[in-house]
Amino acid sequence: MRKLINAPADVVSDALRGLAAAHPSLRVDAASGTVRRADAPRPGKVGLVSGGGSGHEPLHAGFVGYGMLDAACAGEVFTSPVPDQIIAATMAVNGGAGVLHVVKNYTGDVLNFRMAAELAEDEDIEVASVVVNDDVAVEDSTFTAGRRGTGATLFVEKIAGALAEEGADLGAVAAVAREVNERSRSFGVALSPCTVPAAGEPTFELGPDEMELGIGIHGEPGRERVKAGTAAEIVDASLSAIDADLPVAGAELLVLVNGMGGTPLIEQYVAYAAAAEWLEGHGASVVRPLVGPFVTSLEMAGCMISVCRLTPELTRLWDAPVQTPALRWGR
């Protein structure tokens, strides 16, 4: 195992200390594994809290800031944050208007966020929860009852965060988050595994001429293991699976081609070119593209494609100003 780390047990805390040094607009507590906006809580504003296992950076801490999340909780690598972390973040950003929890559909995340929401209610903090389950590849995977939450988590956090920034109430912010989730789908492909620092060995094995279709962001098995193909073939497999579940014809789409952590940007643009051509050929219009490593799996090579069928209001909220370490425009 060759990684740019000090010790496996210190990876998360060391990374959080680095995040704090690089982004003074954030308030980072490396000991508790929480990150929040420096101006939180803001009286009268709905707070947005998300989180999950580390190793998916910039998700979630990289999306804390104006127009997106108010706080994020960083669990150990590929391990859910514990309820104590989540309730601490929830209380830290509560401005009296309630708090929305954005939760990826993994069993540990769902259970721990649910426990934290119950603790928050004991403190008279109103909490709404939205579970993201956009992955079309498999049902009831290794870590999940139902579909996994993957790339569309970014869409939910950005659009719901924009509405919260405008002063909408908790019910409206939760409703738009659920709408985005319902209108979004994702499919991922792995060209290589990743290695969790504490384990010191790959999470799975792929032959030199193999790829895994429908991979999860923790290295969970996908639909099938096949012979490695071209970028166009990978994109076709991904978008065909998405289109079969949520037809894209006639839609105005937000499209994310997401690098899984070990894929060079040049290859991500190769994939995006194929995706844009495929979608145009199937009657869809890409009105908002995004390319880059936003929801990663350590150093896994491969890509994930996420799409959201936009409405004029969702497009407006996507375009609203945002300023976070990993996503920023309009300010």
Side-chain angles (χ1 to χ4, degrees):
M1 183 178 69
R2 290 176 291 179
K3 288 183 176 289
L4 195 63
I5 64 175
N6 296 311
D10 298 332
V11 170
V12 176
S13 59
D14 284 352
L16 288 173
R17 289 193 299 109
L19 181 72
H23 299 283
S25 62
L26 302 178
R27 295 293 176 264
V28 180
D29 186 339
S32 68
T34 58
V35 180
R36 66 177 176 86
R37 289 168 56 165
D39 61 352
R42 288 180 53 196
K45 178 189 176 299
V46 171
L48 261 71
V49 174
S50 193
S54 296
H56 306 305
E57 289 72 24
L59 192 78
H60 295 272
F63 299 136
V64 174
Y66 182 91
M68 238 171 144
L69 296 177
D70 293 278
C73 310
E76 292 300 317
V77 175
F78 292 0
T79 303
S80 172
V82 298
D84 284 351
Q85 291 177 272
I86 303 165
I87 185 61
T90 300
M91 296 177 67
V93 303
N94 174 44
V99 176
L100 177 68
H101 287 172
V102 179
V103 187
K104 299 190 305 302
N105 190 33
Y106 290 94
T107 301
D109 290 31
V110 171
L111 292 176
N112 288 346
F113 270 91
R114 184 181 301 157
M115 291 177 62
E118 293 171 356
L119 293 171
E121 290 172 2
D122 292 342
E123 300 293 332
D124 295 323
I125 301 173
E126 184 179 5
V127 173
S129 297
V130 173
V131 176
V132 182
N133 58 352
D134 56 303
D135 176 47
V136 303
V138 296
E139 294 270 358
D140 301 325
S141 67
T142 309
F143 300 102
T144 309
R147 294 183 170 187
R148 302 175 291 211
T150 57
T153 310
L154 164 61
F155 299 163
V156 172
E157 293 176 355
K158 169 62 184 78
I159 291 174
L163 191 61
E165 204 69 60
E166 293 178 354
D169 64 25
L170 181 60
V173 175
V176 80
R178 294 189 181 102
E179 180 183 7
V180 173
N181 179 60
E182 290 166 1
R183 300 176 72 91
S184 300
R185 300 291 189 275
S186 298
F187 190 91
V189 176
L191 303 179
S192 75
C194 61
T195 298
V196 175
E201 59 185 25
T203 53
F204 59 96
E205 293 185 2
L206 278 176
D209 62 344
E210 292 181 324
M211 63 183 182
E212 184 88 12
L213 298 179
I215 196 73
I217 57 175
H218 306 95
E220 312 96 302
R223 286 186 171 184
E224 60 178 331
R225 186 164 297 185
V226 300
K227 184 175 174 134
T230 66
E233 290 168 341
I234 290 170
V235 166
D236 177 69
S238 301
L239 287 174
S240 293
I242 288 171
D243 185 53
D245 196 85
L246 183 73
V248 300
E252 293 190 339
L253 297 178
L254 164 60
V255 177
L256 167 64
V257 169
N258 174 71
M260 300 298 291
T263 305
L265 193 55
I266 188 173
E267 296 178 22
Q268 295 173 48
Y269 278 113
V270 170
Y272 181 78
E277 181 178 350
W278 193 100
L279 290 165
E280 181 181 354
H282 286 75
S285 175
V286 180
V287 296
R288 295 295 183 272
L290 188 65
V291 179
F294 292 102
V295 182
T296 64
S297 185
L298 294 171
E299 80 279 23
M300 182 187 292
C303 77
M304 176 173 288
I305 299 178
S306 301
V307 306
C308 177
R309 290 180 62 108
L310 291 170
T311 66
E313 176 65 0
L314 296 183
T315 304
R316 183 188 72 81
L317 292 169
W318 177 260
D319 289 343
V322 60
Q323 187 169 351
T324 71
L327 208 66
R328 58 182 67 194
W329 56 71
R331 284 190 99 209

